[in-house]
């Protein structure tokens, strides 16, 4: 495995600070880390915290200056709004100008969990968070650590994924450290993210509601919980991605996003010989190609590597980004991912693979 610190490129714009990493695996360590994170957040600092989807880069959502630091650290374009994380229904309702019956129904069904609801914003949510728009994305995450920090702070936390802009989201503390070491004062290690891909983003500020970013809570679950979708089949986004309108509405949903450094392709193959011939056909070196497979596992002798992720949608989502991070560290040139099934449960994974391949 490549030296992990090698992937850290110092950024000239920021002076280097010492990045503290705190564990949470005993009740004492957990409490100590909650207190430290809350202390920094109250002082207007930015800290990396675990959530069940991916790690987040958090700041006080009501403090414009603190939120500005998130954009600076990530190199995030200012037109991309940030999700606000809450730890109760009351806090969620205080972030929105209106919290309609449909939002209540869906939040009851899926919160805490990997669903972000876009609603008209409350006046106290600064323009930096909403990218000067009239809506705000709100999510109540289920990870106990970020919940405890929000409760300790008493204010909501603005938090995008804790990666540099356009890179792969982190699903463990080491992924965060590799990208943000020296740029933030604290990374809290809350273990492997249990969901593994970012939340489903559902826009409830328009009628009919629209899925802006598919995730592990898919269209059919939303419809089963009472969401009227104009055309649920279009919202499946099974590999097709959001509409052009959706991409404009949510700049983070541009076609190319969430990309590894290597070229990524999504293929089917019959057997090893077929796979090798497809690799040769695009003039790539087999020895620099890494395969991520779930069903047709290649023997791997001539390849840079083979990762097997079980053919189980939840296990696949949980493991995917760690595999992509590993390929980046190893300096692989081509990543071939075995095509996921074309069914609603896989739509979030298909969406992220499409963007990584764009
Ligand atoms: O699971 C997640 O959502 C993670 C964890 C940390 O909660 N967060 C995350 O944040 O993925 P980020 O910033 O990497 O992606 C948020 C997406 C972006 O595509 C952004 O454009 C969209 O949500 N978004 C946020 N607020 C929005 C709004 N008011 N209207 C439309 N899209 C919004
Ligand atoms: Mg992100």
């Amino acid at each position: 495995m490549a030296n992990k610190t090698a992937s850290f490129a110092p950024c000239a714009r920021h002076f280097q600070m010492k990045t503290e990493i705190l564990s949470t695996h005993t009740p004492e360590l957990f409490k100590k880390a909650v207190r430290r994170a809350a202390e920094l957040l109250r002082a207007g600092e930015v800290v990396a915290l675990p959530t069940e989807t991916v790690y987040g880069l958090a700041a006080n959502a009501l403090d414009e200056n603190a939120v500005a630091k998130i954009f600076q650290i990530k190199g995030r374009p200012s037109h991309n709004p940030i999700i606000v994380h809450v730890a109760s229904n009351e806090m969620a309702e205080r972030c929105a100008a209106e919290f309609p019956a449909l939002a209540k129904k869906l939040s009851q069904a899926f919160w805490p969990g990997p669903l972000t609801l876009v609603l008209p914003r409350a006046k106290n949510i600064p323009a930096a968070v909403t990218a000067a728009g009239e809506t705000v994305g709100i999510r109540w995450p289920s990870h106990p650590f970020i919940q405890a920090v929000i409760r300790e702070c008493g204010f909501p936390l603005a938090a995008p994924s804790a990666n540099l802009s356009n890179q792969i989201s982190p699903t463990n503390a080491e992924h965060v450290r590799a990208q943000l070491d020296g740029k933030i004062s604290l990374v809290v290690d809350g273990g492997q993210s249990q969901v593994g891909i970012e939340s489903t983003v559902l826009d409830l500020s328009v009628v009919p509601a629209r899925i802006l970013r598919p995730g592990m809570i898919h269209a059919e679950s939303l419809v089963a919980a009472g969401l009227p979708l104009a055309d649920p089949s279009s919202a499946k986004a099974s590999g097709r991605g959001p509409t052009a309108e959706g991409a404009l509405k949510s700049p983070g949903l541009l076609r190319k996003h969430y990309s590894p450094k290597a070229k990524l392709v999504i293929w089917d193959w019959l057997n090893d010989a077929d796979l090798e011939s497809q690799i040769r056909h695009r003039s790539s070196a087999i020895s620099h190609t890494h395969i991520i497979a779930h069903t047709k596992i290649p023997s791997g002798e001539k390849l840079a590597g083979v990762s097997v992720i079980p053919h189980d949608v939840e296990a696949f989502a949980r493991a995917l980004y760690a595999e992509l991070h590993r390929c980046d560290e190893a300096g692989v040139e081509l990543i071939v991912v075995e095509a996921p099934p074309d069914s609603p449960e896989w739509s979030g994974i298909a969406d992220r693979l499409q963007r990584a391949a764009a």
Side-chain angles (χ1 to χ4, degrees):
M1 175 144 313
N3 177 0
K4 284 185 177 159
T5 54
S7 60
F8 164 55
C11 176
R13 281 181 297 125
H14 299 281
F15 71 93
Q16 297 289 297
M17 55 173 90
K18 177 153 173 35
T19 301
E20 185 184 9
I21 304 196
L22 293 179
S23 321
T24 57
H25 58 273
T26 69
E28 290 70 31
L29 290 171
F30 187 100
K31 268 187 235 151
K32 206 175 141 205
V34 169
R35 280 199 299 268
R36 179 72 182 135
E39 178 185 38
L40 289 165
L41 289 162
R42 277 193 218 102
E45 291 302 317
V46 172
V47 300
L49 305 177
T51 91
E52 76 280 20
T53 54
V54 300
Y55 275 64
L57 189 60
N60 179 352
L62 307 180
D63 176 346
E64 191 132 25
N65 295 329
V67 174
K69 292 182 189 167
I70 297 179
F71 284 89
Q72 228 180 10
I73 292 165
K74 278 189 63 117
R76 184 181 179 96
S78 59
H79 61 258
N80 195 359
I82 299 187
I83 296 169
V84 171
H85 297 71
V86 300
S88 69
N89 288 316
E90 295 68 42
M91 198 182 263
E93 288 178 26
R94 282 199 299 274
C95 295
E98 297 160 46
F99 207 87
L102 182 56
K104 287 199 179 114
K105 203 190 258 183
L106 294 172
S107 60
Q108 258 165 26
F110 298 108
W111 282 357
L115 176 66
T116 297
L117 299 177
V118 173
L119 291 164
R121 75 173 174 111
K123 288 208 170 63
N124 63 333
I125 303 294
V129 171
T130 67
E134 282 313 308
T135 62
V136 58
I138 306 172
R139 178 166 108 79
W140 179 351
S142 69
H143 196 293
F145 188 82
I146 189 166
Q147 290 188 356
V149 173
I150 297 168
R151 275 189 236 107
E152 176 84 11
C153 289
F155 49 74
L157 297 179
S161 51
N163 51 279
L164 297 174
S165 213
N166 286 329
Q167 296 198 20
I168 307 159
S169 295
T171 53
N172 64 40
E174 172 53 27
H175 295 158
V176 180
R177 200 202 56 75
Q179 289 193 44
L180 299 180
D181 192 17
K183 295 187 175 186
I184 54 178
S185 45
L186 175 64
V187 178
V188 176
D189 186 347
Q192 156 75 40
S193 297
Q194 284 303 296
V195 175
I197 65 169
E198 305 82 355
S199 62
T200 304
V201 179
L202 178 67
D203 189 356
L204 292 181
S205 72
V206 291
V207 179
R210 250 181 348 173
I211 294 178
L212 297 177
R213 178 174 72 182
M216 293 306 279
I217 295 176
H218 55 82
E220 292 188 1
S221 305
L222 293 167
V223 170
L227 176 72
L229 269 180
D231 175 11
S233 70
S234 76
K236 273 185 203 165
S238 47
R240 270 167 276 141
T243 59
E245 209 186 336
L248 281 179
K249 169 97 200 221
S250 211
L253 305 178
L254 296 175
R255 205 165 77 85
K256 183 165 177 65
H257 202 60
Y258 312 102
S259 306
K261 295 186 185 102
K263 174 78 192 142
L264 185 146
V265 293
I266 307 158
W267 287 350
D268 273 314
W269 54 88
L270 298 169
N271 49 37
D272 283 19
D274 179 32
L275 176 60
E276 281 177 25
S277 106
Q278 291 191 53
I279 297 169
R280 269 194 217 97
H281 192 72
R282 71 182 304 289
S283 308
S284 293
I286 293 180
S287 60
H288 291 138
T289 300
H290 187 102
I291 311 294
I292 299 178
H294 53 82
T295 308
K296 291 183 209 111
I297 318 300
S299 71
E301 280 142 27
K302 301 181 207 151
L303 294 156
V306 176
S307 312
V308 181
I309 310 186
H311 184 82
D312 165 285
V313 66
E314 282 169 12
F316 197 96
R318 201 175 298 133
L320 177 63
Y321 286 172
E323 295 300 342
L324 298 183
H325 280 287
R326 218 167 281 143
C327 287
D328 272 355
E329 278 167 21
V332 165
E333 282 168 19
L334 178 68
I335 305 170
V336 180
V337 184
E338 185 180 356
D342 185 18
S343 62
E345 311 83 67
W346 287 81
S347 59
I349 292 170
D351 170 82
R352 297 311 183 278
L353 288 175
Q354 295 282 331
R355 289 173 208 287

